[in-house]
Amino acid sequence: MSEADLDAQVRVADPDRWLSSRFVSDPQARADLMALYAFEAELMAIPTRVTQPLLAEMRYAWWREQLDGVWAGSARKGHPVLEALTDLVGRHRLDRSPFDALIEAHIGRIHGDPHDLEAFYVGPMQAAVHLLAGPGHAGTVVEAGRLWGLQQVGREAEATPLRPLANQALRPLPAAGFPAVAHACLSARPRSDAARRIRLLWSILTGRV
């Protein structure tokens, strides 16, 4: 599986964030973003591939164990997502805790726990911003991550008043990092690809979600 294959995987699994990533001009930065999103796509797909919670939990435990190799710089050979993740973690010195939290949140979901907005949406957005804009910007995207999460789980009434707070917090974010958050401008309501692209372009140009 090549970089193009990871890109195609994310395009199918996560079309809104894939569209946001099209505004990343640097090819390596975009590839790093795709590796991060492909890892998340692998975790999201587990409940669709197995029917028993115990089997799903075992698969999540496998991914958690693989993170040991990722952070040690020795990915499981022949696994393109893990190899790509290992490469970007080493170059960007990413913190492991959001990745562990994401896996734990997935395990909680298969047992009926409510969505953990911080683990599912805020942490991954912070990691994505780190890839594009470097360290030091995690605090600027917390509200945008929560906004994105609330919209994705259908809690639009809670998301609406959060938008101005998110935009205020995003003001210091460098333009290079904004493709990691622009998708927060999109609600979960169905809309055409053209409409989504236009909305994302507006978000990128204005620096607002």
Side-chain angles (χ1 to χ4, degrees), residues 11-89:
R11 184 174 188 175
V12 172
D14 200 340
D16 288 339
R17 288 200 294 178
W18 181 85
L19 276 177
S20 292
S21 73
R22 301 306 94 181
F23 294 93
V24 179
S25 58
D26 180 74
Q28 182 61 66
R30 192 185 314 119
D32 287 346
L33 207 55
M34 290 300 96
L36 178 66
Y37 293 164
F39 166 73
E40 293 185 60
E42 291 283 347
L43 299 184
M44 284 291 294
I46 288 175
T48 69
R49 295 171 178 166
V50 296
T51 57
Q52 298 298 323
L54 180 59
L55 294 177
E57 187 167 351
M58 290 172 63
R59 295 201 179 190
Y60 285 122
W62 182 88
W63 278 97
R64 184 170 51 210
E65 291 169 2
Q66 298 310 308
L67 293 185
D68 291 340
V70 168
W71 262 264
S74 55
R76 186 181 184 88
K77 297 300 181 184
H79 196 296
V81 174
L82 288 172
E83 289 181 349
L85 192 63
T86 301
D87 177 58
L88 72 88
V89 162

Side-chain angles (χ1 to χ4, degrees), residues 27-204:
Q28 182 61 66
R30 192 185 314 119
D32 287 346
L33 207 55
M34 290 300 96
L36 178 66
Y37 293 164
F39 166 73
E40 293 185 60
E42 291 283 347
L43 299 184
M44 284 291 294
I46 288 175
T48 69
R49 295 171 178 166
V50 296
T51 57
Q52 298 298 323
L54 180 59
L55 294 177
E57 187 167 351
M58 290 172 63
R59 295 201 179 190
Y60 285 122
W62 182 88
W63 278 97
R64 184 170 51 210
E65 291 169 2
Q66 298 310 308
L67 293 185
D68 291 340
V70 168
W71 262 264
S74 55
R76 186 181 184 88
K77 297 300 181 184
H79 196 296
V81 174
L82 288 172
E83 289 181 349
L85 192 63
T86 301
D87 177 58
L88 72 88
V89 162
R91 284 186 288 106
H92 294 279
R93 300 184 180 276
L94 292 181
D95 179 19
R96 176 173 169 172
S97 57
F99 293 79
D100 285 325
L102 181 60
I103 291 174
E104 290 303 316
H106 275 290
I107 292 173
R109 284 294 296 150
I110 62 176
H111 292 296
D113 292 350
H115 267 86
D116 183 336
L117 295 180
E118 304 297 317
F120 278 117
Y121 304 105
V122 177
M125 187 177 283
Q126 290 173 323
V129 164
H130 185 125
L131 293 181
L132 299 185
H137 306 291
T140 66
V141 304
V142 171
E143 301 301 334
R146 290 171 180 161
L147 171 67
W148 170 244
L150 288 169
Q151 293 179 143
Q152 292 305 295
V153 299
R155 293 159 61 181
E156 294 279 352
E158 296 174 64
T160 299
L162 199 59
R163 194 175 301 278
L165 297 176
N167 284 323
Q168 182 177 9
L170 286 171
R171 288 175 184 172
L173 181 67
F178 206 80
V181 304
H183 48 272
C185 75
L186 301 174
S187 73
R189 293 190 298 272
R191 61 173 67 200
S192 69
D193 281 352
R196 286 159 58 226
R197 287 176 183 273
I198 291 170
R199 186 72 177 85
L200 282 170
L201 177 60
W202 176 90
S203 180
I204 294 288

